[in-house]
Amino acid sequence: DVAEHILREAPTLSETLLNGLIWRSHKTQDGLRPVIYYLEYLVKDREPQQSQQSQQSQPSKSQLSRALVSFVKFKHPRTIMHPILTFVLDLLWENLAMRTFFLDRLWTIISFMIFLSASCFLNQPAMMHNPANKYGLAVARLWVYMVGL
């Protein structure tokens, strides 16, 4: 992995490597300057890490590239804020992670509200006289313990 070797052996060259992945035209079109980002191998690896035998038995899984992981593990703020890395990480966040993250947070909030109602409101002695409230408490507890976890 080229990025990993550069970050380990010559970290000052990492910015030069990243700058080489951006092509900026010297001509403008309609007042705008065309830019091309070469980010294919920052998103996926050139060769898969699995062996040939396991590839035939299982479909390939999508994973982050080793180069992107190397830049993240390098933990250098100036490097990680390079325009091409920022673009790739924003692209991955917006298209892959954001929806899953927010749906998970929504699921957690809903489960918390059901837990709160089951443990604080439906569990009151005045509420336990009504059989419908007992069933509601049982369903809420079942939800929390089976589905909410």
Side-chain angles (χ1 to χ4, degrees):
D1 188 27
V2 174
E4 186 177 338
H5 291 298
I6 286 178
L7 291 172
R8 189 174 8 146
E9 301 294 330
T12 56
L13 292 177
S14 64
E15 191 170 342
T16 307
L17 171 70
L18 293 172
N19 285 335
L21 296 175
I22 301 173
W23 175 83
R24 293 179 177 93
S25 175
H26 63 280
K27 298 179 182 179
T28 60
Q29 296 173 349
D30 299 327
L32 299 174
R33 185 176 174 189
V35 177
I36 298 175
Y37 288 101
Y38 295 98
L39 53 91
E40 180 180 3
Y41 296 114
L42 285 175
V43 176
K44 65 176 188 168
D45 281 334
R46 179 172 284 193
E47 66 274 346
Q49 294 177 337
Q50 299 174 348
S51 66
Q52 293 292 334
Q53 184 180 19
S54 64
Q55 277 185 351
Q56 293 172 356
S57 62
Q58 296 176 342
S60 63
K61 294 181 181 178
S62 176
Q63 296 180 357
L64 293 177
S65 74
R66 291 177 295 188
L68 186 61
V69 171
S70 298
F71 282 113
V72 171
K73 286 182 179 179
F74 186 55
K75 297 182 182 176
H76 189 262
R78 186 172 177 200
T79 304
I80 203 68
M81 291 306 296
H82 192 276
I84 194 161
L85 290 177
T86 304
F87 182 74
V88 168
L89 291 171
D90 285 344
L91 190 69
L92 289 173
W93 168 253
E94 290 170 2
N95 293 327
L96 295 177
M98 184 172 61
R99 179 179 295 176
T100 304
F101 174 78
F102 285 123
L103 287 176
D104 183 56
R105 294 299 98 198
L106 180 66
W107 184 258
T108 303
I109 289 171
I110 291 170
S111 295
F112 174 70
M113 297 304 271
I114 292 172
F115 170 77
L116 193 63
S117 67
S119 62
C120 294
F121 304 120
L122 295 176
N123 205 17
Q124 297 294 324
M127 299 289 281
M128 298 305 283
H129 297 296
N130 188 354
N133 289 341
K134 288 182 181 180
Y135 291 124
L137 177 63
V139 167
R141 285 183 176 173
L142 186 68
W143 171 275
V144 168
Y145 296 126
M146 299 300 262
V147 179
L149 298 176

